[in-house]
Amino acid sequence: MPNSPAPITDKDVYLRALDQVRSAAAAYHGGGDAQMDDAAYDRLMKAIASYEQKYPDQRAADSPTALVAAGSLPDGAVAHATPMLSLDNVFDAEELVHWAESLGKRLGSEPRGFHAGPKIDGLAVAAHYREGKLVQLVTRGTGTTGEDVSHAIGTIDGLPVELDMPVSIEVRGEVVLLQSRFEEANRIRVTHGEDPFSNPRNAASGSLRATGRNYTIPLSFYGYGLLPAADGEAGGLIREEMTHTELMKALGSLGVQAVDDTPVGTLTSPLIKDIQAYVEKVAAQRADLPVGIDGIVIKADHPQDQAVAGSGSRAPRWAVAFKLPALEVISTLTAATWTTGRTGNIAPRGEVLPVEIEGVTVQFATLHNPGMIARLGLRIGDRVVLRRAGDVIPQILAPVTSARTGQEKPIELPTVCPGCGGEIDKSQERWRCLKGRACNLAASITYAVQRDVLDIQGIGPKVVAQLVAREAVQDVADLFTLTLGQLTTATGSEKTAAKILDRLAAAKQRPLARLFCALGVRGTGRSMSRRVADFFGSMAAIQAASAAELRQVEGIGSEKAAWMLAELAELEPVIAKLAAAGVNLGGPQDSAPAADISGSGQDSGAALPLAGKTVVVTGSMGGRLGLLSRNDMNELIEKAGGRSGSSVSKSTSLVVAGDKAGSKKAKAEQLGIPVIGPDEFAQMVSAYL
Ligand code: IVH
């Protein structure tokens, strides 16, 4: 059980545990290396608390259980007029219900309402605005006094230097480094001769507090609290009777980014079961959020409930954090192996001592590429911070350099291609076999014939292996010139071979996106291929694209544009063979008219039924849509001019809710976003079905 603490059995173990917690908390809050992962920290705190409950006479007067940040923080120079408190934690639904019940008992009635929002995993700050101008920025520090970090004013996204109204207020919130910026932040850092940050939180904390650096790490802010200035005029913006929900709305109206602006938004409800559903929704989406979260904060929404419940020395009694299992854990890197993938990419895979993340045992993690290994200075034997996001293979974020013993060994880089023993193209950050897709041809062809690519049933990995071994196929285009004889030999059945030939004939008319995807250009999976195909409209236009034009497609940066150009040139003979075999490369055929790449043809997009709309699909689809996979649905939405989204937010235009639709539907209704059923949707896009 990851959340059940190891019991503390005697006073010595108790005192040692206090030391461990204090030192880990000092590193965590001081921007140092992550010494202990969050789950281990929470377990230890829980064990300490239960020991203190059992033996109250042995409780240390300065126990970390009663202090903000475990009392690890040095006093800063600036006093907080209202203390910046910590939060108590709950770890499961039962504990949440228990918390709500005890709050109810304290109030003598049911709480008037709850507010729930994501718990942002950053560094807490108080931003002081006077007459609309940001005049001082202070870290939480001890909770009573913090450190002045006003030098960072003007460098934090979402925390404007000037508000939309000339009010004097204090905004509280978290400063973070967005997940997408972590790699770049470490690149900048290492270029300046410093050790890499171990995770985004550590990067935010270190960067906010640092002065005198000749580089800036781009940070962001998410607000979760709004107070009148201690000695200023909030201009009627804040009234005593305002609920937390109303305060957050007011914060948004000032131009400050708030937790409401994350893709999961916030939820207000009098029912703890709604809050529970929200917790589940956030938990399901957290890995895809642009910002790291470590839980959900649930608050009594009404100011009177808050006042009656009051606060302890460390935490308020009217709010609680529902902690989610940590996505980041620390383990030891024991080995690195290299493999050549379907596109010819040579990728390193790290082996780590088995460790649990969200209940899944992790043994392998991506080591990215040789450039990244060098930048992070990773070594075999290193303690490493691992992050598992969604179902993809976990990533190694960074080594914990402070845990080095000197026994660590360098990671050996391959000198020849691990697939074929041939030469490696090392000209770019990602290494590639000089033979490209031909190196692991079987993997390349197996990918191309999959259901949501060319959809050629009957050709599975075994048949592919036969075709490759007999050199009947040397690239994806050769599939379309296979003979009945070749397929009969490969499958062992003339009947099967004839069926496959029919399917191959049908596959010549697949949409451009799928044909492009089947080529196996690095970094162009299904969704990227759809974007490329939609943008350019024909294979010829893709081939004629310049790097600048490629970069106009969402998700293509300079690095990817460069290698796409090179690979498209390399694929010229394959594309010519496809055309010669009668494969339709002219356009999206059974798809919608493509966007005009000159940028002037907005009309073609506007005529589509979902033009400009972001559509979220939830629940199971019935009727005409019943047979479609999620990928098919995404394709359909994109063909009809829309974009498919995974979570409901203010920017969602339409939600298609089928059977058993849950929190996404509820959220859409709450936000006033149109919700329709599968049948109505099928009618709307019937031309594209
Ligand atoms: S409310 C008095 N809401 O988590 C209530 N805190 O572990 C104070 N945090 O000190 C906090 N996201 O720094 C609140 N949506 C959110 C939050 C949040 C992150 C931080 C905050 C707090 C810490 C407690």
Side-chain angles (χ1 to χ4, degrees), residues 117-141:
K119 182 170 185 303
I120 311 286
D121 194 9
L123 186 76
V125 297
H128 297 273
Y129 283 93
R130 192 166 294 268
E131 289 165 12
K133 299 218 168 41
L134 181 51
V135 292
Q136 194 177 34
L137 198 58
V138 186
T139 65
R140 183 173 71 175

Side-chain angles (χ1 to χ4, degrees), residues 168-409:
S168 295
I169 52 167
E170 179 179 338
V171 179
R172 290 183 173 181
E174 298 276 306
V175 171
V176 293
L177 177 76
L178 298 183
Q179 305 287 352
S180 59
R181 289 178 170 166
F182 180 65
E183 207 179 310
E184 183 57 22
N186 265 346
R187 201 187 287 259
I188 298 173
R189 180 124 162 123
V190 172
T191 312
H192 286 82
E194 293 179 76
D195 277 344
F197 297 116
S198 56
N199 57 29
R201 189 193 176 282
N202 174 267
S205 150
S207 307
L208 181 69
R209 300 165 77 241
T211 48
R213 281 194 181 145
N214 52 357
Y215 59 93
T216 326
I217 305 281
L219 301 175
S220 306
F221 177 84
Y222 287 91
Y224 57 71
L226 175 60
L227 290 71
D231 56 352
E233 181 42 58
L237 178 82
I238 304 173
R239 281 168 284 107
E240 254 179 32
E241 71 278 11
M242 279 167 87
T243 60
H244 184 68
T245 307
E246 287 165 344
L247 285 170
M248 288 298 95
K249 218 182 221 168
L251 184 57
S253 74
L254 295 173
V256 176
Q257 180 163 263
V259 290
D260 305 59
D261 298 314
T262 58
V264 287
T266 57
L267 177 79
T268 307
S269 167
L271 304 175
I272 204 76
K273 79 168 178 18
D274 290 350
I275 300 296
Q276 190 60 50
Y278 172 82
V279 167
E280 277 165 31
K281 175 188 103 164
V282 175
Q285 287 179 30
R286 69 188 288 215
D288 305 321
L289 296 181
V291 54
I293 67 166
D294 57 348
I296 290 96
V297 180
I298 298 121
K299 299 167 186 161
D301 196 34
H302 204 279
Q304 217 168 317
D305 288 352
Q306 295 182 2
V308 174
S311 297
S313 62
R314 195 191 78 95
R317 284 183 282 266
W318 47 266
V320 78
F322 189 118
K323 288 295 282 276
L324 293 173
L327 289 183
E328 272 171 27
V329 299
I330 297 175
S331 184
T332 303
L333 179 65
T334 54
T337 49
W338 298 78
T339 46
T340 308
R342 68 176 174 90
T343 61
N345 208 36
I346 298 174
R349 184 172 79 157
E351 280 175 39
V352 295
L353 291 181
V355 60
E356 263 198 23
I357 309 185
E358 280 195 308
V360 175
T361 304
V362 169
Q363 269 175 289
F364 302 103
T366 176
L367 283 171
H368 312 279
N369 54 59
M372 186 87 123
I373 291 175
R375 247 194 331 276
L376 294 177
L378 278 170
R379 299 177 138 245
I380 303 294
D382 260 339
R383 296 287 284 161
V384 288
V385 181
L386 292 165
R387 180 182 152 87
R388 180 174 175 270
D391 293 331
V392 296
I393 176 164
Q395 294 183 42
I396 290 183
L397 293 187
V400 183
T401 41
S402 63
R404 288 232 163 105
T405 62
Q407 299 298 304
E408 298 77 15
K409 304 257 168 343

